Amino acid sequence: MGTNSLFVTTISFYPTCHFIHEARLKAKVKRRLRKNSSRDSGRGDSLSDNGDVVRSVVPPTSPKGKLLNRRSRMGKGRGLPKKGGAGGKGVWGSPGEVYDEDEVDVKDPNYDVEQENCVYETVVLPLDGETFEKTVTPIVQEYFEHGDANEVAELLAELNLGSMRGDVPMLAVSLALEAKASHRELTSRLLSKLCGRVLTAADVEASFHKLLKELPDLVLDTPGAPQMLGQFIARAVADNILPKSFIDGYKGRVDSEYARAALDRAAVLLRMSRWTGLRFDSLWGSGGGQRPVNQLIKEVNLLLKEFLLSGDTVEAERCLRELEVPHFHHEFVYEAVIMVLESKGDRTLQMILQLLKSLCASTVITVDQLRRGFERVYLDMADLSIDVPCAYSLLEQFVEQSFNAGVIDKKLRDLCPCRGRKRFISEGDGGRLKL
């Protein structure tokens, strides 16, 4: 009885072990298929009834080939990229696409109610003493070249001058004292233009007070600083940017002789303007190339006439330098030669020749300006000969003497035009020309 029962138990245990072994094999195969699924996904592997792996005959496809193939798997489309190339990872969108402003999310943990109505502005720090001089000095020096006061006003308005606003006229006048007369005229115009836009009348008045105090130091670099500052004060009073009581406020309170000289100069000029009608727009002279051409021509003619009366070559050279138009010296040469042709006298010819020789030797008139002046005369000889019949002979004489004096070269002498001589034919000569 005991033996039979043991046999039955053994027989019933054998099928169970067999099933467990088959399940382990199937699980092992499934794990292997799952592991290689990314590599062999397209090969069609499957399990048979007994657990063996059965491979299909479908040819493998390359994943790389699928990525490069842009054709729709549904058989639609033209093979173009999706969204015109504006889609995909790391793409901001198609070119020219405008995004709407993001609305503030109240539920955002970083949301702050106080920042909702904030206004951000650019803050420009005020200039200190050292930065002020480095910034404003190039602006004033460039203004001496172009003469556009509106541009200077715009540049200064962009700066935060702060307490240094009153030093702008002082710096401009200090630079003008060491510059030319035309630059001082430009400085007077600049102060008149800035007052009311960038500067106030109090700023201008405070600057001139400082300039009077610093005159002993300014005289070391510019000996004529007191007289020039007096002219600046008179011009500022005439332009209504400085009160008329400015000079009267210093009566009996001036200790410096330089300041007294400047105030006396300003008072004299203001009295002359009231009594004799002195024009302050020509207070600094008429130098610089900012004036019209017609005015420059009149001043050149006046200079030449004064030279013919005085015969002072040094004074004529000084006056020509003060015009400050070196690019216009060819007009001086042209007018000088025309004056020789119109005078018809040997005295004028010799004086103009002496003047041109002196100016060329001192390089006031360059070779290029001299050549251009003579060439302009050569071109206008046809018109000049109408008013001056003997213009050609006078020109030949002047050109020859200029060449002998070393004023012009041989090439410029040979360019001198000559009047064509007519040949007359007599009726009794049978059409032959007379020698």
Side-chain angles (χ1 to χ4, degrees):
M1 185 67 177
T3 304
N4 295 334
S5 62
L6 179 61
F7 178 76
V8 173
T9 305
T10 304
I11 293 175
S12 61
F13 177 73
Y14 176 75
T16 304
C17 294
H18 179 69
F19 293 147
I20 292 174
H21 181 67
E22 288 183 356
R24 287 177 177 175
L25 290 177
K26 291 182 179 181
K28 186 176 181 180
V29 172
K30 286 182 178 181
R31 284 197 300 272
R32 189 173 16 179
L33 291 175
R34 199 179 301 118
K35 182 178 180 181
N36 300 329
S37 60
S38 61
R39 186 175 53 203
D40 301 330
S41 58
R43 295 182 180 178
D45 297 339
S46 61
L47 290 176
S48 62
D49 295 337
N50 56 0
D52 297 334
V53 179
V54 179
R55 300 186 181 276
S56 62
V57 296
V58 180
T61 57
S62 173
K64 186 175 181 181
K66 289 184 178 180
L67 294 177
L68 295 178
N69 188 5
R70 295 183 179 273
R71 287 188 178 181
S72 174
R73 295 181 179 85
M74 302 298 293
K76 300 178 181 179
R78 296 176 296 167
L80 300 176
K82 293 182 178 180
K83 300 182 182 180
K89 185 178 180 180
V91 180
W92 287 91
S94 59
E97 184 175 356
V98 180
Y99 295 93
D100 297 333
E101 296 183 0
D102 295 336
E103 297 182 359
V104 180
D105 189 4
V106 183
K107 298 181 181 180
D108 191 347
N110 296 324
Y111 175 75
D112 190 359
V113 183
E114 298 179 355
Q115 297 181 359
E116 185 69 25
N117 297 323
C118 289
V119 178
Y120 298 94
E121 296 181 356
T122 303
V123 178
V124 181
L125 298 177
L127 301 178
D128 54 3
E130 184 179 358
T131 309
F132 168 80
E133 187 172 353
K134 291 182 179 179
T135 306
V136 180
T137 300
I139 296 176
V140 178
Q141 290 176 345
E142 290 179 3
Y143 167 70
F144 289 159
E145 301 297 330
H146 57 72
D148 189 356
N150 293 322
E151 181 179 350
V152 178
E154 293 176 358
L155 293 176
L156 293 178
E158 295 176 358
L159 302 175
N160 188 0
L161 297 175
S163 60
M164 306 298 296
R165 181 180 289 105
D167 292 343
V168 173
M170 179 179 175
L171 178 61
V173 173
S174 300
L175 294 174
L177 292 178
E178 301 176 0
K180 303 177 182 179
S182 60
H183 296 165
R184 291 190 282 273
E185 173 65 24
L186 289 174
T187 303
S188 296
R189 297 180 187 177
L190 178 64
L191 296 181
S192 178
K193 202 77 173 180
L194 294 181
C195 190
R197 297 179 59 181
V198 180
L199 306 175
T200 61
D203 295 332
V204 178
E205 186 175 358
S207 293
F208 279 103
H209 284 308
K210 293 180 181 179
L211 285 169
L212 288 173
K213 292 180 181 179
E214 294 189 0
L215 264 180
D217 296 333
L218 296 175
V219 171
L220 298 177
D221 297 330
T222 309
Q227 288 74 23
M228 295 180 187
L229 183 58
Q231 294 181 201
F232 271 114
I233 294 174
R235 179 66 178 270
V237 174
D239 292 340
N240 297 323
I241 62 175
L242 201 62
K244 297 181 180 179
S245 60
F246 179 84
I247 301 176
D248 298 335
Y250 276 95
K251 286 184 177 180
R253 298 190 303 107
V254 181
D255 299 331
S256 174
E257 59 175 341
Y258 301 114
R260 187 181 301 110
L263 294 171
D264 291 343
R265 175 67 173 169
V268 169
L269 290 175
L270 290 173
R271 283 197 298 268
M272 290 177 62
S273 67
R274 290 194 299 267
W275 296 344
T276 63
L278 175 66
R279 295 180 57 185
F280 283 97
D281 55 355
S282 60
L283 187 63
W284 298 109
S286 55
Q290 302 290 336
R291 292 156 302 159
V293 176
N294 294 334
Q295 184 179 355
L296 289 174
I297 295 176
K298 291 180 180 179
E299 292 175 1
V300 168
N301 284 323
L302 182 62
L303 191 157
L304 289 170
K305 291 178 181 178
E306 290 179 354
F307 168 73
L308 292 178
L309 293 176
S310 63
D312 192 350
T313 307
V314 178
E315 180 66 16
E317 180 178 342
R318 186 189 65 81
C319 294
L320 185 60
R321 289 181 184 271
E322 287 184 354
L323 288 179
E324 298 178 15
V325 283
H327 60 283
F328 202 64
H329 284 176
H330 62 86
E331 180 67 28
F332 179 84
V333 178
Y334 175 82
E335 296 293 339
V337 178
I338 295 298
M339 195 168 290
V340 171
L341 301 181
E342 293 178 349
S343 65
K344 306 177 184 178
D346 187 65
R347 176 179 176 275
T348 304
L349 187 149
Q350 296 300 328
M351 292 183 67
I352 295 296
L353 181 60
Q354 178 187 358
L355 177 61
L356 292 179
K357 184 178 180 180
S358 176
L359 293 177
C360 292
S362 60
T363 66
V364 174
I365 296 180
T366 61
V367 177
D368 180 63
Q369 295 291 319
L370 185 71
R371 174 181 294 274
R372 290 180 60 186
F374 271 89
E375 289 177 350
R376 288 180 57 193
V377 176
Y378 294 166
L379 293 175
D380 294 344
M381 282 303 297
D383 297 332
L384 292 173
S385 61
I386 298 176
D387 299 329
V388 184
C390 58
Y392 279 97
S393 60
L394 291 174
L395 180 63
E396 291 179 5
Q397 181 182 358
F398 181 73
V399 169
E400 188 66 28
Q401 293 191 20
S402 299
F403 172 73
N404 296 332
V407 177
I408 62 175
D409 55 4
K410 183 177 182 300
K411 183 177 180 181
L412 188 59
R413 184 198 64 175
D414 296 340
L415 292 176
C416 180
C418 299
R419 179 189 292 272
R421 293 176 173 81
K422 296 182 180 180
R423 293 183 177 181
F424 298 95
I425 302 176
S426 176
E427 294 180 356
D429 295 335
R432 292 176 297 175
L433 295 177
K434 286 187 178 182
L435 299 178

